[in-house]
Amino acid sequence: MTNHTVSRGAARLRLAAVVAAPLLVLSAACRGGEGVRAHEGEEIASVADQPAPAGSARAGGGSPKPAASGRSAFYDAQLTYVRCMRTKGGVKDFPDPKLSGYLDWPKIDDVVDPKGRGEEYKGGRNAVCFPEMEAAMELAPKRDKQKDYESMLAHAKCMRDNGVSAFTNPTLSGGGVIPGGDPNPGNPVIDPKSPGYERSREACASKLLEGLDGMQ
């Protein structure tokens, strides 16, 4: 068991709950639905894709969806976010995004202060880089939620098969997917820094589609 003040899972789940963007992660509490946990051998339900109307404003006074699109724009937006994190956000070693535009979560995990409050996952100190983070999320490539769900389900099973017995399955909820992982992110029972976990993550990395490595 880890005594980290903020676990990776808890920080990311909180991030997912407050960011309304075209991501595969949706908060069950925000959507008002009960998740349907998938078990081995159970038929996977189809998930409808329901994109937000183009140009719609973000809830809570956020920015409208940018007009630019495409992989290049996504990468550029992520790079803008990364530079903000290194300067205003107070995380000088925040890693570059991958060439695909997705953030490099294993490297981000390495720069997280275990005694902090997860600022590295939430837009930096006082969320000063939240607008840049949100803008990058808005430009993320459209994803197939069904394939993402199946990928995370295979990854969760692989993690259990490789010794992380507490690793939970992803959950279908309200047309989106809530990642699996630690069954109690607020009081973690899985230590992502342990040698056993690191070995399991490496063994199961190929189960996750591009862009999902930071989700569970």
Side-chain angles (χ1 to χ4, degrees), residues 20-22 56-58 63-66 68 74 133-141:
S56 60
R58 308 313 314 156
S63 302
K65 185 171 182 177
F74 178 46
M133 179 179 68
E134 187 180 38
M137 287 178 166
E138 287 283 5
L139 290 168

Side-chain angles (χ1 to χ4, degrees), residues 182-201:
D182 199 303
N184 188 12
N187 186 24
V189 299
I190 296 176
D191 183 0
K193 295 295 185 181
S194 69
Y197 185 93
E198 293 287 354
R199 286 193 296 269
S200 298
R201 184 170 71 173

